[in-house]
Every structure is written in C-alpha cells, then in structure tokens.
Amino acid sequence: MSELILILATGLGLGALYFLAASGLSLIYGLMGVLNFAHSAFMMLGAYAGWETMQRLPDGMSVGVRLVLAVVVALVVGALIGAVVEVCLIRPLYKHHIQQVLVTVGLSLAAVAVAQAVWSADPKPVQKPTWMASTTDIGGAHLPNDRLLFVVVALLVFAGLMALLRYTRLGLIIRAGVENRTMVEALGINVQGTFTIVFAMGGAAAALAGVLYSQYAGSVSPAQGGSLLIYAFIVVVIGGMGSLPGTAVAAVAVGLVQQMANYYAASGVGDLSVVLLLAVVLLVRPASMKGGHA
Amino acid sequence: MRATSLIKALPGLVVLVALVVLPYVTVTIPGILPGRVNGPGSLTLLATCFIFAGFALSYDVIFGRTGLLSFGHALFVAAGSYLLTISLSSWDLPLPLAIVVALTSTLVLALVVGGIALRVGGIAFAMVTLAFAQAASIIVLRNPGDLTGGEEGLVLDRSAIPQLLVGVHNAPYRYWLALGFVVIAWALVALLVRSRAGHAMAAVRENEARAAVLGYDVYKVKLLAIVVGALIGGLGGIVHAIVLGGSTPHLTTTEFTLALLVMVVLGGAGRLWGAVIGGFVYHYLDSRLVEFSSSSALGAMPDIVQRLLGQPLLILGVLFIIVVYFAPQGLTGLGARLLRKERA
C-alpha cells in the first residue's frame, strides 16, 4: 500500500512538472497556432537564470531563501525572453505557421549552443534546501518533499491561470481568441498585444518548470529543456491543444503512467508507454486536435 | 529542345565529374579541408557530407515536395543503419541479404507508421511521427537483448563487407560509394518529381482540398511520399553505416530530424539542388566550424566570442533563422533569383 502511495506521489510530482512545462505551450498553440520549439530554450535559460542567482547570492543566506529568489529571477527572465521572442521573431511571420515553427526550431538550436558556450556542456550541480531533500510520512509511505512541492506549485499555477482566464478581461480575450481569433479581431480588439502577454506568461511558466526540473534532476545542463519538451508536447497533444484543464489532466495521466510502468514493468517502459498513449489518443480521438476551449 | 536540356544539365555533370576524380587530386587546401584533398580525413568528411545531402533529399520528398511536416524521419534512417549492422553482426547474414532485410524492414515500417500517422493531419501528424521516432529512440537506447548497443552504438562487422570498403587506405572507395548514393537519390527524386505521382504530390502540397476534389487519393499520395522518402533515407542509413563503420544512436534522435528540417529549408525546400546543397553545407559547417574558431585568426578575440564561435549550431541556427526570414526559398532560391537579376 505504502508502495502504491509513493508511486502515485512521485507520478503526480512528475505530472506537475509536465503541467508547468506544457501550460504555456498549450496556451500559445491554442491562441496563436504556434508550435513553440523554443519552449525548451525558455526552460533551459530559466534554469540557468535560477542557478546563476543561487551562485551569486551570499552563502550566508539559507538555501531555501535563495531558491525562492532564484524562482523570482527565473520568472522575470522567462517572461522577458518570451515577450522579446514574440515581438522580434514570431510577430513578423504572422499567419505563416510553418515558418513560425521553423524559427522556433532555429532558436532552440542556437540557444542550446549559446548555453554550451557560456556554461559548458557539463551539468552544473544545484543546491537543494534540506527540507526538499527529506521526506514526509503520509499513509505509511515516505514521500519526498520536493515532489509534494511540485504538486502544490502546479496547483497554484493552474488555479491562477484558470482564474485569470475566467475572471479577467485579458482571460476573456484569450478564451475568445482560442475559440475564434478572426472574430475577436473583427470586433476591434487588439489581439497582438495579447499574443505578447501570452508568450510572456508561457515563458515565465517554462522558466519556473526549468528551475523546478533542475531541482528534480539535481543539476542544470544545456540539453535539459529538450528532454522535457518532448513530454510537454505529448501532454499538450493528449490534453487537446489549447485547453488548460485538458493539459492538467493529461499531465497527471502521463506522469502516473510513466512512473507506474517504470516501477511495475521495467525502467524505460514508462517512456515507451507514454508515447504509445499519445498514439492511441490521437488515433481514437483525432477530433481533440482541433483545439479545445481554454 | 534536347540541346537546351543538355546545356541545363551541363553544370551538374561538370560538378559530378570533378567530384568523381577528386580522390586523384593531391593538393592541400588549407582551412577548407583537413590535410590533402585525397587524404582519408578529407575524403571521409566529404563522403559524410554527401550522405547528409542524400538524407536531406529523402526528407525533402516528404517535407518539400508533399508538404508533410514529419518529425519522425530519423526513424527510417536509423532503421536502415541499425538493421544493416544488426543483420551483419548478430544474425550473420551476408551483405546483400542484410541490405534486403534493412530495406524491406524500412519499407514495412514506413507503411505502418505512415499509415497510422496519416490518419491525422497537420500538427497532429507531426506529433504522431515524433512519438514513433521517440519510441524507437528509447528502444535503441534501452539496448534490448544487447542488440542495439545502447548509447555506445553498434560497430559494423568489418569481415562481412567487401575488403575494398575497409581500412584507411580504401577511403576513396567509401567516398565513391557515398557519391554514388547521393547520385542515385538525386536521380530517384528527379524521376519521381517528373512522374504522375510527383505531380500529385505537388498538388497535395499546394492545396490538399483541391487535390482531393480533383480526384486524387490524397491519403495514398502522402503515403507514397513517406514510403519513397523512407526508402531513400533507409538506403542512406545503410551507406552511412558502411562508410562510418557502424550505427550511432544519434541517428535515432529528434535532433537529427530537426537537423534534416534545417538542411532542407537552408538549401531550399522542394528543390533538388536545395536539399543537396543544404545537407552538404550543414554537415560541412557542423564539422568544420570548430576548427575555424580555434584557428589563429581568431586568437585576438575575447574568450567568450571564441567559445560562441566554437558552437557550430549557434551559427547554423542563426543562419537558419535569417534564411527563413529573408530567403524563404533557401540558399538555392536566393542564388537563382540573383542569377535572373543579372541576366535581366
């Protein structure tokens, strides 16, 4: 029993990371139709921004405080990068979807190369607060605290984004834009500005995912974003591209399936079963690809 | 008519003849090629560039000719490469039979993966192909039954292939093999483009709904494009394994497919020379830029600039973005435009 609880908790923790990585991706795709390969760069640069912050702050500060500050810096950096990328690179190619995908592909390649030049290809170890490295006893199982924290953070982000979408004017425009962008434009609403904000939000969420993933992995490395991105893509697609609740459900499903298959079958089977899950979902419900309701 | 077509083919033929006799040239071109032109280093570099040109041609059948954004092409290239090395080393098949096994399996794989993935279109198609390729990549890295060699890759069983293709002094033969592959790939794609099927692919790329209304079986046309692309890619995988002496897991990764995409767009999508030049230039820069950055000319630059220039993917990525913006027809499209301007 305690074994099952442990696997469920770690699966949820992983799912939480996938949700953070996928939420921005999903919103961007839903609203703008851009499959953002540069999301891996946002995550990786966010993780490095966090790492640099923790390195530079005085050792006297406790690791926990430095981690919180690192998250704040990463959020700002991620939002800035997202906004700059949207304004400089995505906007001029408005309505050329393939070209937009290509530009983000080029960006992700170049960003990994820059990270390798600046921080070298070797993984940099990150400091972890002692609280996060220890466990909490729930139902007889020793649950790692960091996974619990990931779940809490993901829940907060999910609730925040849902509230934003439901109760603010910006959210209204985003929801309407996902539904029918042409109509929103015809009504005289500036969707352009919304695109930049969505990209900035996506970048911030990605950077947060990057920092937390580096805590999960114990280190930062240039290729880290890429490995997370593939799972984020899978989550977005299973969740129905553009639907936030769908993304959340899919992230939990993918995290749980992966952990369970890795534990009960053999390690590595989990990754494979996630891929199979995607193929099955797409073939059984191809309609889910048309983009859902945000 | 015949005379004009001959004149049109002339530059290509001249380049081909020059490339065929290259292993007899003994001069050194400092900076451009490592060592003598006909030394094993230069010839292996050029041979790999040719193979990548062929890979790009195969991907262009799917992306440039038919307009399908596939993120799973690595799967077919890796299938050719790995099935050849596995057939030779683990199953002890003779080389011709191993090639047949590799190509047949690639064909079956293309039919199955293409058949399933084509049930959805657009971005969903890209994602399903990505998923299949990722699954294959995971399997190869997991190394089931010690078959694929995991992260180490798999070394080619050198006793199973003709001695003419083995050893440092036989580099010219491997060079000619790679050149032969790119010529065959070029000819196949050129024939395909001129055929009825090729026209159907162009129709599907330009306007899928219209092609369907005109009576084309769009699904079959797309599947044919994937099968042809996969077979040429698989053949390239086989040649790659023979020329480089084994299979590496890099061929299975998504990064490899993305690199193919970059090559095709860089050179010019939907153009024969575009894919060839894109593949060649990409691999050449990828392997040579590191040398340039460590050369003495850049010695005076600050450390960080040197390190940035030492990252070929940075330069290729930026170049790629510039091409997407300012030369959507790729380098060959840009060249053709400049030529036309000069004549006018």
Side-chain angles (χ1 to χ4, degrees):
Chain A
M1 186 60 202
S2 64
E3 210 172 60
L4 183 67
I5 293 177
L6 180 65
I7 293 164
L8 286 178
T10 50
L12 277 177
L14 200 58
L17 283 178
Y18 290 157
F19 172 75
L20 289 174
S23 54
L25 212 53
S26 173
L27 277 184
I28 291 172
Y29 184 84
L31 185 65
M32 312 170 59
V34 180
L35 192 65
N36 184 21
F37 270 85
H39 222 69
S40 60
F42 297 172
M43 291 190 258
M44 185 256 302
L45 292 174
Y48 273 108
W51 181 79
E52 284 283 349
T53 316
M54 288 184 74
Q55 288 306 101
R56 269 143 214 256
L57 286 173
D59 282 335
M61 268 185 186
S62 76
V63 185
V65 175
R66 280 191 283 160
L67 182 62
V68 171
L69 288 174
V71 166
V72 172
V73 170
L75 282 174
V76 173
V77 168
L80 274 178
I81 295 176
V84 168
V85 164
E86 199 278 329
V87 170
C88 298
L89 291 172
I90 306 291
R91 184 169 294 179
L93 293 173
Y94 182 56
K95 278 189 177 158
H96 295 85
H97 288 317
I98 296 274
Q99 274 86 337
Q100 285 177 332
V101 173
L102 294 181
V103 163
T104 61
V105 167
L107 204 60
S108 70
L109 292 180
V112 171
V114 168
Q116 279 183 358
V118 177
W119 292 287
S120 92
D122 306 324
K124 304 266 188 219
V126 285
Q127 286 176 303
K128 203 167 188 167
T130 40
W131 178 80
M132 279 175 71
S134 58
T135 58
T136 305
D137 282 6
I138 297 176
H142 302 292
L143 304 182
N145 284 337
D146 54 351
R147 312 299 160 87
L148 299 177
L149 180 76
F150 297 160
V151 175
V152 172
V153 172
L155 280 176
L156 286 176
V157 169
F158 178 62
L161 282 177
M162 285 308 278
L164 179 90
L165 287 175
R166 208 148 298 280
Y167 301 116
T168 64
R169 184 180 150 75
L170 174 70
L172 191 69
I173 297 174
I174 295 176
R175 274 189 294 149
V178 171
E179 197 78 29
N180 187 340
R181 197 173 69 200
T182 325
M183 189 51 129
V184 177
E185 284 166 352
L187 290 172
I189 290 161
N190 178 10
V191 185
Q192 289 275 327
T194 319
F195 287 175
T196 314
I197 296 172
V198 167
F199 242 87
M201 286 190 332
L208 178 62
V211 173
L212 294 185
Y213 189 74
S214 67
Q215 286 287 328
Y216 171 83
S219 60
V220 201
S221 66
Q224 216 163 46
S227 49
L228 194 53
L229 182 71
I230 293 197
Y231 289 106
F233 271 154
I234 292 177
V235 164
V236 169
V237 174
I238 293 179
M241 312 210 77
S243 150
L244 212 49
T247 305
V249 173
V252 170
V254 166
L256 286 179
V257 164
Q258 197 175 4
Q259 283 292 326
M260 287 195 169
N262 271 343
Y263 187 84
Y264 288 111
S267 80
V269 177
D271 309 346
L272 216 54
S273 47
V274 167
V275 168
L276 286 178
L277 183 68
L278 168 70
V280 170
V281 166
L282 276 180
L283 296 172
V284 176
R285 287 186 56 224
S288 73
M289 293 304 305
K290 289 184 183 123
H293 311 273
Chain B
M1 182 62 205
R2 279 199 67 78
T4 51
S5 64
L6 203 68
I7 289 172
K8 261 177 108 176
L10 205 60
L13 282 174
V14 170
V15 170
L16 182 60
V17 169
L19 288 176
V20 168
V21 299
L22 209 61
Y24 298 107
V25 179
T26 51
V27 295
T28 49
I29 315 174
I32 305 292
L33 284 172
R36 272 183 299 126
V37 169
N38 65 348
S42 306
L43 286 183
T44 305
L45 172 66
L46 288 174
T48 324
C49 287
F50 290 145
I51 297 171
F52 272 79
F55 287 154
L57 268 171
S58 73
Y59 185 67
D60 192 43
V61 173
I62 299 170
F63 175 69
R65 301 286 174 187
T66 320
L68 291 168
L69 187 59
S70 161
F71 284 126
H73 199 62
L75 175 63
F76 307 126
V77 174
S81 172
Y82 269 96
L83 284 164
L84 181 85
T85 44
I86 291 172
S87 314
L88 289 178
S89 58
S90 300
W91 302 333
D92 291 321
L93 299 179
L95 182 65
L97 200 59
I99 293 176
V100 171
V101 166
L103 282 181
T104 320
S105 320
T106 311
L107 174 71
V108 173
L109 210 56
L111 284 172
V112 172
V113 172
I116 294 175
L118 281 175
R119 291 191 42 180
V120 289
I123 294 295
F125 171 80
M127 288 294 119
V128 180
T129 50
L130 176 78
F132 274 110
Q134 193 61 25
S137 183
I138 294 167
I139 292 174
V140 165
L141 283 178
R142 286 274 304 149
N143 194 11
D146 253 350
L147 210 55
T148 61
E151 281 177 31
E152 305 279 307
L154 211 54
V155 179
L156 187 71
D157 180 6
R158 284 175 207 280
S159 60
I161 60 172
Q163 288 311 298
L164 215 54
L165 293 169
V166 180
V168 175
H169 56 284
N170 281 331
Y173 293 99
R174 290 196 294 273
Y175 168 87
W176 281 318
L177 176 72
L179 185 61
F181 161 64
V182 78
V183 170
I184 289 175
W186 199 93
L188 281 178
V189 177
L191 283 177
L192 177 75
V193 172
R194 282 167 180 72
S195 72
R196 213 181 121 71
H199 292 303
M201 288 174 192
V204 169
R205 175 192 62 201
E206 293 306 326
N207 190 330
E208 194 177 323
R210 191 187 294 161
V213 169
L214 285 174
Y216 287 114
D217 188 338
V218 173
Y219 182 87
K220 270 192 197 152
V221 172
K222 287 180 178 174
L223 191 59
L224 180 72
I226 292 178
V227 166
V228 173
L231 280 179
I232 298 176
L235 189 65
I238 291 172
V239 175
H240 187 267
I242 293 176
V243 169
L244 294 181
S247 308
T248 96
H250 175 68
L251 286 184
T252 65
T253 56
T254 316
E255 286 88 59
F256 178 63
T257 306
L258 290 184
L260 291 176
L261 184 65
V262 172
M263 290 174 206
V264 169
V265 173
L266 206 60
R271 292 162 173 270
L272 277 171
W273 284 105
V276 170
I277 290 174
F280 191 95
V281 167
Y282 181 96
H283 187 72
Y284 178 78
L285 291 180
D286 195 15
S287 38
R288 289 296 293 169
L289 277 176
V290 182
E291 318 268 317
F292 291 138
S293 71
S294 56
S295 68
S296 53
L298 296 170
M301 301 258 214
D303 185 41
I304 183 71
V305 177
Q306 274 193 48
R307 272 191 287 161
L308 282 173
L309 288 177
Q311 296 291 333
L313 275 182
L314 172 63
I315 293 160
L316 281 166
V318 172
L319 182 65
F320 175 70
I321 293 176
I322 293 173
V323 163
V324 169
Y325 267 99
F326 300 106
Q329 304 281 307
L331 294 176
T332 52
L334 193 69
R337 215 164 63 198
L338 291 178
L339 271 180
R340 267 202 304 277
K341 245 184 212 162
E342 215 159 81
R343 274 185 205 149

PDB file of all heavy atoms in Angstrom, chain A residues 239-251:
ATOM      1  N   GLY A 239      -3.845  16.480 -24.152  1.00  0.00           N
ATOM      2  CA  GLY A 239      -4.794  17.359 -23.478  1.00  0.00           C
ATOM      3  C   GLY A 239      -5.709  18.125 -24.410  1.00  0.00           C
ATOM      4  O   GLY A 239      -6.640  18.777 -23.950  1.00  0.00           O
ATOM      5  N   GLY A 240      -5.434  18.078 -25.709  1.00  0.00           N
ATOM      6  CA  GLY A 240      -6.346  18.716 -26.652  1.00  0.00           C
ATOM      7  C   GLY A 240      -5.905  20.095 -27.104  1.00  0.00           C
ATOM      8  O   GLY A 240      -6.736  20.909 -27.498  1.00  0.00           O
ATOM      9  N   MET A 241      -4.656  20.401 -27.088  1.00  0.00           N
ATOM     10  CA  MET A 241      -4.074  21.622 -27.654  1.00  0.00           C
ATOM     11  C   MET A 241      -4.893  22.881 -27.396  1.00  0.00           C
ATOM     12  O   MET A 241      -5.834  23.173 -28.119  1.00  0.00           O
ATOM     13  CB  MET A 241      -3.880  21.442 -29.155  1.00  0.00           C
ATOM     14  CG  MET A 241      -3.215  20.136 -29.460  1.00  0.00           C
ATOM     15  SD  MET A 241      -2.196  20.099 -30.919  1.00  0.00           S
ATOM     16  CE  MET A 241      -0.722  20.908 -30.445  1.00  0.00           C
ATOM     17  N   GLY A 242      -4.518  23.609 -26.375  1.00  0.00           N
ATOM     18  CA  GLY A 242      -5.189  24.877 -26.116  1.00  0.00           C
ATOM     19  C   GLY A 242      -6.155  24.824 -24.959  1.00  0.00           C
ATOM     20  O   GLY A 242      -6.674  25.841 -24.536  1.00  0.00           O
ATOM     21  N   SER A 243      -6.388  23.622 -24.424  1.00  0.00           N
ATOM     22  CA  SER A 243      -7.295  23.515 -23.296  1.00  0.00           C
ATOM     23  C   SER A 243      -6.489  23.326 -22.012  1.00  0.00           C
ATOM     24  O   SER A 243      -5.735  22.361 -21.892  1.00  0.00           O
ATOM     25  CB  SER A 243      -8.228  22.324 -23.505  1.00  0.00           C
ATOM     26  OG  SER A 243      -8.596  21.779 -22.275  1.00  0.00           O
ATOM     27  N   LEU A 244      -6.635  24.270 -21.082  1.00  0.00           N
ATOM     28  CA  LEU A 244      -5.831  24.211 -19.866  1.00  0.00           C
ATOM     29  C   LEU A 244      -6.232  23.046 -18.954  1.00  0.00           C
ATOM     30  O   LEU A 244      -5.360  22.297 -18.493  1.00  0.00           O
ATOM     31  CB  LEU A 244      -5.919  25.551 -19.130  1.00  0.00           C
ATOM     32  CG  LEU A 244      -4.667  25.956 -18.355  1.00  0.00           C
ATOM     33  CD1 LEU A 244      -3.418  25.834 -19.196  1.00  0.00           C
ATOM     34  CD2 LEU A 244      -4.818  27.361 -17.836  1.00  0.00           C
ATOM     35  N   PRO A 245      -7.538  22.854 -18.675  1.00  0.00           N
ATOM     36  CA  PRO A 245      -7.914  21.694 -17.863  1.00  0.00           C
ATOM     37  C   PRO A 245      -7.485  20.387 -18.537  1.00  0.00           C
ATOM     38  O   PRO A 245      -7.002  19.458 -17.872  1.00  0.00           O
ATOM     39  CB  PRO A 245      -9.443  21.787 -17.782  1.00  0.00           C
ATOM     40  CG  PRO A 245      -9.776  23.189 -18.103  1.00  0.00           C
ATOM     41  CD  PRO A 245      -8.715  23.672 -19.030  1.00  0.00           C
ATOM     42  N   GLY A 246      -7.627  20.325 -19.864  1.00  0.00           N
ATOM     43  CA  GLY A 246      -7.199  19.128 -20.596  1.00  0.00           C
ATOM     44  C   GLY A 246      -5.719  18.875 -20.398  1.00  0.00           C
ATOM     45  O   GLY A 246      -5.288  17.743 -20.152  1.00  0.00           O
ATOM     46  N   THR A 247      -4.921  19.953 -20.465  1.00  0.00           N
ATOM     47  CA  THR A 247      -3.482  19.824 -20.261  1.00  0.00           C
ATOM     48  C   THR A 247      -3.187  19.298 -18.858  1.00  0.00           C
ATOM     49  O   THR A 247      -2.318  18.438 -18.688  1.00  0.00           O
ATOM     50  CB  THR A 247      -2.797  21.190 -20.470  1.00  0.00           C
ATOM     51  OG1 THR A 247      -3.159  21.677 -21.746  1.00  0.00           O
ATOM     52  CG2 THR A 247      -1.303  21.079 -20.375  1.00  0.00           C
ATOM     53  N   ALA A 248      -3.917  19.818 -17.867  1.00  0.00           N
ATOM     54  CA  ALA A 248      -3.684  19.380 -16.486  1.00  0.00           C
ATOM     55  C   ALA A 248      -3.981  17.890 -16.338  1.00  0.00           C
ATOM     56  O   ALA A 248      -3.179  17.134 -15.778  1.00  0.00           O
ATOM     57  CB  ALA A 248      -4.557  20.201 -15.534  1.00  0.00           C
ATOM     58  N   VAL A 249      -5.123  17.452 -16.860  1.00  0.00           N
ATOM     59  CA  VAL A 249      -5.480  16.034 -16.770  1.00  0.00           C
ATOM     60  C   VAL A 249      -4.444  15.180 -17.483  1.00  0.00           C
ATOM     61  O   VAL A 249      -3.979  14.157 -16.959  1.00  0.00           O
ATOM     62  CB  VAL A 249      -6.884  15.800 -17.374  1.00  0.00           C
ATOM     63  CG1 VAL A 249      -7.192  14.319 -17.447  1.00  0.00           C
ATOM     64  CG2 VAL A 249      -7.932  16.529 -16.556  1.00  0.00           C
ATOM     65  N   ALA A 250      -4.063  15.614 -18.701  1.00  0.00           N
ATOM     66  CA  ALA A 250      -3.097  14.848 -19.477  1.00  0.00           C
ATOM     67  C   ALA A 250      -1.762  14.767 -18.758  1.00  0.00           C
ATOM     68  O   ALA A 250      -1.111  13.711 -18.745  1.00  0.00           O
ATOM     69  CB  ALA A 250      -2.918  15.482 -20.854  1.00  0.00           C
ATOM     70  N   ALA A 251      -1.337  15.887 -18.122  1.00  0.00           N
ATOM     71  CA  ALA A 251      -0.054  15.884 -17.428  1.00  0.00           C
ATOM     72  C   ALA A 251      -0.063  14.874 -16.290  1.00  0.00           C
ATOM     73  O   ALA A 251       0.879  14.100 -16.115  1.00  0.00           O
ATOM     74  CB  ALA A 251       0.245  17.284 -16.886  1.00  0.00           C
TER      75      ALA A 251
END
